[in-house]
Amino acid sequence: MSSTISRLGALATGGLFSLSLLAQDAHAQATGFPSAQESDPSAIGWMEGFPPPPELRITNPDSVFFSFPRLRWSVCHLREFLPTEQVSRGLGAPIPFDYALDDGIDAVTFMPLRGEEEMTWEESLYANYTDGMLILHEGRIVYERYFGCMDEAAQHAAMSMTKSFTGTLAEMLVAEGTLDDTALVSDIIPELEVSAFGSATVRQVMDMTTAFEFSEDYGDPNAAIWVYNAAASPFPRGEGYEGPNGYFEFLQTVGPDPEGIQHGDEFHYRTPNSDVLGWIVSRVSGMEVTELLSDRIWSRMGAEQDAYMTVDGLGTPFAGGGLSAGLRDLGRFGQIMLNGGAWHGEQIVPEAAVESIRAGGNLDDFAAAGYADLAGGSYRGQWWMFNNDHGAFAARGVHGQTIYIDPTAEMVIVRFASFPIAFNSRIDPTSLPAYQAVAEYLMAQD
Amino acid sequence: MSSTISRLGALATGGLFSLSLLAQDAHAQATGFPSAQESDPSAIGWMEGFPPPPELRITNPDSVFFSFPRLRWSVCHLREFLPTEQVSRGLGAPIPFDYALDDGIDAVTFMPLRGEEEMTWEESLYANYTDGMLILHEGRIVYERYFGCMDEAAQHAAMSMTKSFTGTLAEMLVAEGTLDDTALVSDIIPELEVSAFGSATVRQVMDMTTAFEFSEDYGDPNAAIWVYNAAASPFPRGEGYEGPNGYFEFLQTVGPDPEGIQHGDEFHYRTPNSDVLGWIVSRVSGMEVTELLSDRIWSRMGAEQDAYMTVDGLGTPFAGGGLSAGLRDLGRFGQIMLNGGAWHGEQIVPEAAVESIRAGGNLDDFAAAGYADLAGGSYRGQWWMFNNDHGAFAARGVHGQTIYIDPTAEMVIVRFASFPIAFNSRIDPTSLPAYQAVAEYLMAQD
């Protein structure tokens, strides 16, 4: 039973952003994946029928709902597998976007990183198993397409883009003076004094320069990643389970870095930081991350749809990866960030919060982490800075999720995707240069 | 493990409408329940804190989340315990109600059934552990109050009011000619030929005059109610579980009435009928109940909020009790039914469907079921007819849920509640005469 629970936990929660590679079909790995068109969930017919026939079922107890090609359906249906909490849009009328569709974008060409042949924008959408693509230019929608499980009314897994929402909420509280980013975590969350996180500063958590033991050795059943995943599971546990229950209990078990690395020494992209940050913003604001996100952002931006977040067994939202939302609603948020926090005459995010993010994190720390395709970048307030000549920055999530903000081109790109494997390093080569090419194209149209 | 699964299943699904009495605290039963004010979840502080302290936690694995007084919190938070499917409101602007608040309603008095002392309307709200109360008169909101876990943005468990939505969808398909209510169930769902349901007509299912074996002997671990509850559980099952998986598989196991009662002989209010009906409307329409409800009703009535339904382990919505929704959105639906199906110039529900429901079911069948406080009534298309002199009819759910429609007074009452026990017979004495008194009061104001 405990291995079942572990697998379920992995797939339910933490595993959503890290384990898909393991879960996927070995045959597909060996021979190459079916194409975006071949793996289109509506072509396969997943979960169609009353009831769906066994071969078309995607169910949680099977513990493979987030493996390719099933994940292409599941990314639009997480609430059907897992307990969730609403991120309310409020009860008013949505604020619609203006449209200025540009039918030249599909033909924009670019050279993929390390590529030998040019690719068109439209080809890149299939190469990346895109589910939804939105491009805003000067605040108007110039491009919008849906594929796979997605349409304009769907909510798609945002994966680790969730972190950027948690980070923005933290930056907002810092800008307002209600959260001191130089404070120690243990000053705000005394329960974490026993943990490696207690002695980190809030800023180190926000920028992921903390040091702690976090083995991702999936072959070791005692590795922290498994403990984390089991803790995060919202499902009834097998008898005899004695591990931590929920994100907050897990965080209290985290020990110091075994190699003696200290807080502030290095950047390491590790999700438990975002869970600590979720705890911090909740303790400071008195609201769950879902409530705070609704109160501060979702209910103030004229969102079309509620969003939602997965929760652990104690009802704690997964601040590091649990968000699902609509494509255009993420476009609204991206546009707010592009606008320095302003939206239809209201300052949704304090300008100082946006400036703090755009100022970026430590370049050396980031360089040491060795992200080849993000060289010269940094990580700040749970956002990725590219430090390219357009000043672009992004929220990013595995399997290809992004909110890509290009201030110079006044462009926001939102992509939902279900790329077969969980590494953005496989997706960036046909994404980042494509975004730059579209930015240049749009600027040339002005 | 199997008893854990059974209990979880019970509380997760079927048990939501039948087992709370068993689960509640024996002390409270012996001494009387804490009052509505004493059991107010915000006064208790359920789930407050990051994390909530153990004594304030309400979690699913505890399997008591739907016992009083916890249920007073849980009725607004089902999605946080269970997998769910969205019932989309669409993406447009809500259609707001006009208001004509009447502050005289609270002082309206009535004599409870079998009572000796008059009670005011306002007193009745506390007597019934009301969470939300909406009164529409001539299409405008004359009264609206929230208590307990509820506010205007909350979604509350509708419990068996769900059946009336499933029934209305079926009546709509019948009125449109796409569903023949004289057909045998097995003609539409061949998989049910092996079941007692196969030989019933669609109409018998709609009106609950089917005959089948359905023991609700909770002391017998093999009783059908337990098999049903286990089948309905969306949680991973213990090894060795060999029972049916999901509502549809359960329905195939249902045998004939052991005492030889035949379809059409008697009215028996039994939830599996609604699950059969959900299967029928899905098979005929090609849509899940959630999709059909959104497509035909929710997205066409200017709803303020998405609704949602709980699902079994195969993603089948619980057509007999799984809906959660906002108070005013149920008011919109009630007003549509009062209007003969029309709403802001559009015919949402065919008039013939509303007329079929209002024509009522067989009076003798209903009388034989012995509902003392509903004497003279009937059951038709999954709605309760009172056959009183105002022609009132209602959707009803355990713990006090109702959409009460009084055509003579042009009045719709929607109540969400979390009465400590699951019997409406305890709630009707302070509800039905109160509704009649308010109807008469409103008519006198005209």
Side-chain angles (χ1 to χ4, degrees):
Chain A
M1 193 67 198
S2 69
S3 79
T4 303
I5 291 293
S6 294
R7 280 188 292 117
L8 287 166
L11 289 155
T13 52
L16 287 184
F17 55 88
S18 56
L19 291 185
S20 296
L21 181 63
L22 300 177
Q24 69 214 358
D25 180 65
H27 176 74
Q29 282 189 67
T31 62
F33 295 102
S35 70
Q37 292 91 333
E38 289 163 345
S39 63
D40 187 301
S42 56
I44 295 174
W46 293 123
M47 292 301 277
E48 289 179 11
F50 310 101
E55 68 277 14
L56 294 179
R57 288 180 191 170
I58 304 182
T59 64
N60 200 347
D62 287 350
S63 77
V64 291
F65 76 94
F66 224 72
S67 65
F68 186 86
R70 287 174 177 78
L71 90 88
R72 300 214 65 203
W73 186 87
S74 301
V75 285
C76 293
H77 297 273
L78 285 189
R79 69 179 292 169
E80 301 171 34
F81 300 112
L82 297 165
T84 57
E85 273 186 25
Q86 178 189 30
V87 178
S88 173
R89 60 175 287 281
L91 301 175
I95 301 175
F97 277 111
D98 290 329
Y99 278 79
L101 294 174
D102 184 329
D103 59 12
I105 291 174
D106 274 330
V108 169
T109 57
F110 66 96
M111 180 62 76
L113 298 178
R114 298 179 293 281
E116 293 177 1
E117 234 178 287
E118 285 207 322
M119 181 181 268
T120 67
W121 172 261
E122 187 172 32
E123 287 167 347
S124 79
L125 301 181
Y126 295 102
N128 288 317
Y129 296 74
T130 300
D131 296 324
M133 173 57 74
L134 182 77
I135 307 179
L136 298 167
H137 179 49
E138 297 172 349
R140 295 180 300 180
I141 293 177
V142 295
Y143 191 92
E144 181 178 7
R145 287 183 72 178
Y146 299 95
F147 305 86
C149 63
M150 229 197 156
D151 61 27
E152 62 174 3
Q155 301 105 47
H156 191 290
M159 311 307 293
S160 290
M161 293 200 288
T162 311
K163 296 177 170 71
S164 303
F165 284 93
T166 306
T168 302
L169 291 170
E171 292 281 7
M172 290 170 74
L173 297 176
V174 170
E176 294 165 10
T178 43
L179 173 62
D180 176 4
D181 64 353
T182 68
L184 294 183
V185 169
S186 60
D187 290 342
I188 298 167
I189 313 282
E191 298 95 317
L192 284 177
E193 192 152 4
V194 297
S195 144
F197 286 111
S199 56
T201 66
V202 172
R203 175 53 62 188
Q204 288 162 341
V205 170
M206 291 171 75
D207 295 354
M208 296 219 196
T209 58
T210 51
F212 58 96
E213 178 168 26
F214 193 63
S215 164
E216 300 196 43
D217 178 357
Y218 296 104
D220 173 4
N222 297 316
I225 186 70
W226 289 117
V227 180
Y228 178 50
N229 286 328
S233 171
F235 295 107
R237 300 173 194 288
E239 279 161 45
Y241 176 78
E242 291 179 351
N245 180 17
Y247 297 105
F248 294 161
E249 279 190 22
F250 166 76
L251 296 171
Q252 295 172 65
T253 70
V254 172
D257 184 276
E259 294 171 13
I261 301 170
Q262 301 296 307
H263 297 312
D265 283 355
E266 297 179 358
F267 165 75
H268 287 286
Y269 181 74
R270 288 169 170 170
T271 297
N273 283 298
S274 309
D275 298 314
V276 172
L277 196 57
W279 199 352
I280 288 171
V281 301
S282 289
R283 184 62 58 81
V284 168
S285 69
M287 295 187 197
E288 289 193 290
V289 171
T290 42
E291 288 178 273
L292 187 63
L293 182 54
S294 170
D295 184 60
R296 293 305 190 90
I297 296 173
W298 226 263
S299 68
R300 297 187 186 197
M301 68 180 190
E304 288 166 277
Q305 297 190 71
D306 292 339
Y308 65 83
M309 291 178 72
T310 58
V311 294
D312 68 19
L314 297 180
T316 303
F318 179 25
L323 185 72
S324 287
L327 184 70
R328 288 195 297 248
D329 283 335
L330 292 199
R332 288 176 169 85
F333 180 65
Q335 188 67 40
I336 289 167
M337 294 302 287
L338 176 64
N339 294 351
W343 182 241
H344 290 272
E346 204 189 336
Q347 193 71 29
I348 307 285
V349 178
E351 195 163 9
V354 181
E355 283 172 3
S356 171
I357 291 164
R358 290 196 54 192
N362 185 289
L363 297 174
D364 292 338
D365 286 351
F366 190 85
Y371 290 91
D373 296 334
L374 307 176
S378 72
Y379 191 81
R380 173 79 173 180
Q382 313 266 306
W383 287 80
W384 301 83
M385 305 295 116
F386 297 102
N387 293 339
N388 62 14
D389 62 357
H390 282 200
F393 60 109
R396 290 161 59 88
V398 287
H399 299 288
Q401 326 312 319
T402 202
I403 304 171
Y404 180 94
I405 301 168
D406 179 331
T408 301
E410 294 181 71
M411 178 186 78
V412 174
I413 290 177
V414 184
R415 180 180 63 198
F416 283 127
S418 44
F419 194 82
I421 61 170
F423 298 133
N424 276 330
S425 59
R426 287 282 297 274
I427 309 167
D428 284 337
T430 54
S431 302
L432 299 180
Y435 297 167
Q436 180 68 20
V438 169
E440 288 165 10
Y441 168 83
L442 291 172
M443 289 170 74
Q445 309 301 302
D446 291 341
Chain B
M1 194 66 199
S2 70
S3 78
T4 303
I5 292 291
S6 294
R7 280 189 290 117
L8 287 166
L11 289 154
T13 51
L16 287 184
F17 55 88
S18 58
L19 291 185
S20 297
L21 181 63
L22 299 177
Q24 69 214 357
D25 180 63
H27 176 73
Q29 282 190 66
T31 61
F33 294 102
S35 70
Q37 292 91 333
E38 288 163 345
S39 63
D40 187 302
S42 56
I44 295 174
W46 293 121
M47 293 299 278
E48 289 180 11
F50 308 103
E55 68 276 14
L56 295 180
R57 288 179 192 172
I58 304 182
T59 63
N60 199 347
D62 286 351
S63 77
V64 291
F65 75 94
F66 224 71
S67 64
F68 186 87
R70 286 173 177 78
L71 90 89
R72 301 214 64 203
W73 187 87
S74 300
V75 284
C76 293
H77 298 272
L78 285 190
R79 70 179 291 167
E80 300 171 34
F81 300 112
L82 296 166
T84 57
E85 273 187 23
Q86 178 189 29
V87 178
S88 172
R89 59 175 287 282
L91 301 174
I95 302 175
F97 277 111
D98 291 328
Y99 278 78
L101 294 173
D102 184 329
D103 60 11
I105 292 174
D106 273 330
V108 169
T109 57
F110 66 97
M111 179 63 76
L113 298 177
R114 298 179 293 281
E116 292 177 0
E117 232 178 289
E118 287 207 321
M119 180 181 267
T120 67
W121 171 260
E122 187 172 33
E123 287 166 348
S124 79
L125 301 181
Y126 295 102
N128 287 317
Y129 297 74
T130 300
D131 295 324
M133 173 58 73
L134 181 76
I135 307 179
L136 297 168
H137 179 50
E138 296 171 349
R140 296 181 300 181
I141 292 177
V142 295
Y143 192 91
E144 182 177 6
R145 287 182 71 177
Y146 298 95
F147 305 85
C149 63
M150 225 190 161
D151 62 27
E152 62 174 1
Q155 301 106 45
H156 191 289
M159 313 306 294
S160 290
M161 293 200 289
T162 310
K163 296 176 171 70
S164 303
F165 284 93
T166 306
T168 302
L169 292 169
E171 292 281 7
M172 290 169 74
L173 297 176
V174 170
E176 294 164 10
T178 44
L179 175 62
D180 175 4
D181 64 353
T182 69
L184 293 183
V185 170
S186 60
D187 289 343
I188 299 167
I189 313 282
E191 299 95 317
L192 284 177
E193 192 151 6
V194 298
S195 143
F197 286 111
S199 56
T201 67
V202 172
R203 174 54 61 189
Q204 286 162 343
V205 170
M206 291 172 74
D207 296 353
M208 298 218 195
T209 58
T210 51
F212 58 95
E213 178 168 26
F214 194 63
S215 164
E216 299 195 45
D217 177 357
Y218 296 105
D220 173 5
N222 297 315
I225 186 71
W226 288 117
V227 181
Y228 179 50
N229 286 328
S233 171
F235 295 108
R237 299 173 194 287
E239 280 162 45
Y241 175 79
E242 292 179 351
N245 180 17
Y247 297 106
F248 295 161
E249 281 191 20
F250 167 76
L251 295 171
Q252 295 171 65
T253 70
V254 172
D257 184 276
E259 295 172 11
I261 301 170
Q262 300 296 308
H263 298 311
D265 283 356
E266 297 179 358
F267 164 74
H268 288 286
Y269 181 74
R270 287 170 170 169
T271 296
N273 283 297
S274 309
D275 299 313
V276 172
L277 195 58
W279 199 351
I280 289 170
V281 299
S282 290
R283 185 61 60 81
V284 168
S285 70
M287 296 187 196
E288 290 194 290
V289 172
T290 42
E291 288 178 272
L292 187 63
L293 182 54
S294 170
D295 183 60
R296 294 304 191 91
I297 296 174
W298 225 263
S299 69
R300 298 187 186 197
M301 67 181 190
E304 288 167 278
Q305 297 190 72
D306 292 339
Y308 66 83
M309 291 179 72
T310 57
V311 294
D312 67 20
L314 297 180
T316 303
F318 179 26
L323 185 72
S324 287
L327 184 69
R328 288 194 297 246
D329 284 335
L330 291 200
R332 286 176 170 85
F333 179 65
Q335 188 67 41
I336 289 167
M337 295 301 287
L338 176 64
N339 294 351
W343 182 240
H344 290 271
E346 205 189 335
Q347 193 71 30
I348 306 285
V349 179
E351 195 163 10
V354 180
E355 282 172 4
S356 171
I357 291 164
R358 289 195 55 192
N362 184 288
L363 296 174
D364 292 339
D365 287 351
F366 190 85
Y371 289 91
D373 297 333
L374 307 177
S378 73
Y379 191 81
R380 173 80 174 180
Q382 314 265 308
W383 287 81
W384 301 83
M385 305 293 116
F386 298 102
N387 292 340
N388 61 15
D389 62 357
H390 282 201
F393 61 108
R396 292 160 59 88
V398 286
H399 299 288
Q401 327 310 320
T402 202
I403 305 172
Y404 180 95
I405 301 168
D406 180 332
T408 301
E410 294 182 71
M411 178 185 80
V412 174
I413 291 178
V414 183
R415 180 179 63 197
F416 282 128
S418 44
F419 194 82
I421 62 169
F423 298 134
N424 277 329
S425 58
R426 287 282 296 274
I427 308 167
D428 284 337
T430 54
S431 302
L432 299 180
Y435 298 167
Q436 181 68 19
V438 169
E440 288 166 10
Y441 167 83
L442 291 172
M443 289 171 74
Q445 310 300 303
D446 290 340

